[in-house]
Amino acid sequence: MADATGVLIVDDEADVCNFLRRLLTRKGYAVSTATNEAETLSALREGAFQVAMVDLKLPDTDGLSLLRQIKARQPACEVIIMTGFSTIKTAVSAMQMGAYEYVEKPFDDIAEIEQLIHKAASHGRRVADGAGDEDWAEIARAVGFQVGRSAVMRRLLSLAYKVAGKNINVLIQGKTGCGKEVLARFIHAASTRADQAFFPINCAALPENMLESELFGHERGSFTGAAGLRRGIFELAHRGTLFLDEIGDASPAIQVKLLRVLESGEFMRVGGEKPVRSNVRLISASNVDLEEAVRGKSFREDLFYRLNVVRLELPSLAERREDIPDLAEFFLQQNHPGLALSPAVLAQLQAHAWPGNIRELINVLRRAAALCGGTTILPQHLGRLLPLAEGGAAGPVGVVADPPKDLSGWFGGREELARWSPENLAELLGRVEEFAALLRQLTGRPESDATRHRDLQATEIAALRAALDLSRWNISAAARQLGIGRNTLHRKINKYGLRKGS
């Protein structure tokens, strides 16, 4: 038993502790039990556990407090919260605090308990081995959800994956363009309803009368143009998932009807007389703060609580800048395979404020790809599309701090630069010289004699070109304009390699 997985059962009901002890001991687990906080802390001091099953309601403490203490003392221990139906929202909060899963009491399926403990122990071993949380990775790839490497997104997907298997409503909050529908599709794909239909509908895209008909259907003759019976999405999505985007824009009348469906599982078609039953998993989303809308009396409080069983907050793209290079590469290859992004472009993408989030990123990449004539997207292809984030404080971490030794690599290298037009090269040279002057100013380093010589030389070349172009390369006229002799002008033309039309 030395290598047996250690399981700690914490429940104030002795019958539950004894039942789980006998069940799990027969399966080869090393089981300890506790009925209160003192016994739990004593068990944690005396042994190491890979899994703990903790009741949410205890006489001297609560499961959330014990969760924090278990994670503080044994971080690798995966905690499963045991809860009654009335405390599911608290159990979800426990998962947001680091619990592996929650299970409802009384236990309906003993095999499910055994499987859950096995999965929790396996997950803990993977994390300890550095394999990370990848239970959801395959499903995310299947629905096209690019999670990235930011901790905030990985925690969000971990929680979404856990609640996906529960038959509870989910509210997704996030700014426009963050990917709320993709997250909803992920939840559907990870749920027990994955083999049924997924129906998305935007509540802001339709006027109230059309939205009502879309959601609930209508009977023949219920209004002008209703030539026949039409089933609504609630009916079509029976046993599947319905995603209501921009739910905050639903009218008060639609909100009342939604509340009835959520409370009773029944609705009536427009113009109908008989209720229709529907078993639908509802996922809703909003880019407005629904709690604020409730306080402002524009959204029903009772409907909000029905929708907000689990709330998932999608971060904006500016809050997950470390994901931008991977996201940009993915969307570029998805729409324009074979194109690459130069380091300078990646730096600009990471420095942008992204008010339109991922949707804006995709559009910027599409426009840049259309302007790119080569194989590498360069800063010139972005044009004026990307002003820096406000104040410049949110620039790319690590990109500018460790620039490549060969700065031409930022622009695709020597071969790519050779394809640029003389006008674009001249513009780039001017910007580089301005940047060099700024660096000298910031570092307090004086301009070198060589630099001053190059500046004087550039000024002289510009004056020669201007005079020659103005006189249409009449050497005598240009020399008079410059105040030098013809031979001197010929010598300078040869020295600088000036050519007519160059």
Side-chain angles (χ1 to χ4, degrees), residues 218-239:
H218 60 254
E219 299 285 351
R220 178 181 178 183
S222 57
F223 54 83
T224 303
L229 182 147
R230 185 178 189 276
R231 294 193 299 163
I233 290 178
F234 266 103
E235 200 168 345
L236 296 171
H238 181 58
R239 293 196 177 92

Side-chain angles (χ1 to χ4, degrees), residues 103-342:
V103 61
E104 293 176 32
K105 294 167 62 179
F107 308 130
D108 294 327
D109 189 346
I110 301 305
E112 182 182 351
I113 301 297
E114 297 173 5
Q115 184 181 22
L116 182 58
I117 292 175
H118 174 73
K119 286 174 61 179
S122 299
H123 171 77
R125 284 192 291 269
R126 285 201 309 274
V127 172
D129 293 339
D133 185 356
E134 298 294 340
D135 293 342
W136 40 260
E138 187 175 344
I139 297 174
R141 282 193 293 269
V143 299
F145 198 156
Q146 293 304 301
V147 181
R149 42 194 155 171
S150 61
V152 63
M153 279 300 295
R154 300 184 77 82
R155 283 195 300 269
L156 176 70
L157 260 288
S158 180
L159 178 59
Y161 178 73
K162 290 170 184 175
V163 302
K166 312 294 181 182
N167 194 30
I168 53 179
N169 296 329
V170 177
L171 173 62
I172 301 172
Q173 297 248 209
K175 296 179 180 178
T176 299
C178 280
K180 294 187 287 293
E181 183 175 335
V182 183
L183 178 57
R185 289 184 182 276
F186 169 84
I187 294 171
H188 171 71
S191 74
T192 56
R193 300 172 184 254
D195 59 342
Q196 301 294 323
F198 174 88
F199 283 89
I201 187 166
N202 191 314
C203 297
L206 297 170
E208 180 183 330
N209 59 336
M210 288 185 64
L211 180 60
E212 183 180 12
S213 178
E214 281 291 316
L215 290 174
F216 308 111
H218 60 254
E219 299 285 351
R220 178 181 178 183
S222 57
F223 54 83
T224 303
L229 182 147
R230 185 178 189 276
R231 294 193 299 163
I233 290 178
F234 266 103
E235 200 168 345
L236 296 171
H238 181 58
R239 293 196 177 92
T241 302
L242 173 58
F243 173 57
L244 295 181
D245 198 6
E246 307 304 348
I247 187 70
D249 291 322
S251 69
I254 294 294
Q255 291 179 36
V256 171
K257 290 180 177 289
L258 287 175
L259 181 62
R260 173 175 170 76
V261 181
L262 294 176
E263 288 179 339
S264 66
E266 294 182 342
F267 63 93
M268 285 198 291
R269 302 187 190 107
V270 178
E273 297 178 349
K274 294 181 180 179
V276 180
R277 291 200 63 81
S278 180
N279 175 9
V280 171
R281 200 294 178 64
L282 188 63
I283 302 175
S284 52
S286 177
N287 62 358
V288 300
D289 187 338
L290 290 185
E291 286 185 288
E292 185 64 36
V294 168
R295 287 191 289 269
K297 306 299 182 182
S298 62
F299 199 84
R300 292 183 65 98
E301 185 175 13
D302 45 7
L303 177 59
F304 172 72
Y305 290 127
R306 285 283 181 176
L307 299 174
N308 190 37
V309 179
V310 177
R311 189 188 323 192
L312 301 176
E313 299 275 355
L314 260 175
S316 67
L317 190 55
E319 293 172 312
R320 45 184 296 217
R321 291 185 182 276
E322 60 266 53
D323 292 338
I324 290 176
D326 290 341
L327 289 170
E329 293 287 357
F330 171 79
F331 292 127
L332 185 66
Q333 293 309 311
Q334 188 179 54
N335 298 300
H336 304 279
L339 279 182
L341 298 166
S342 72

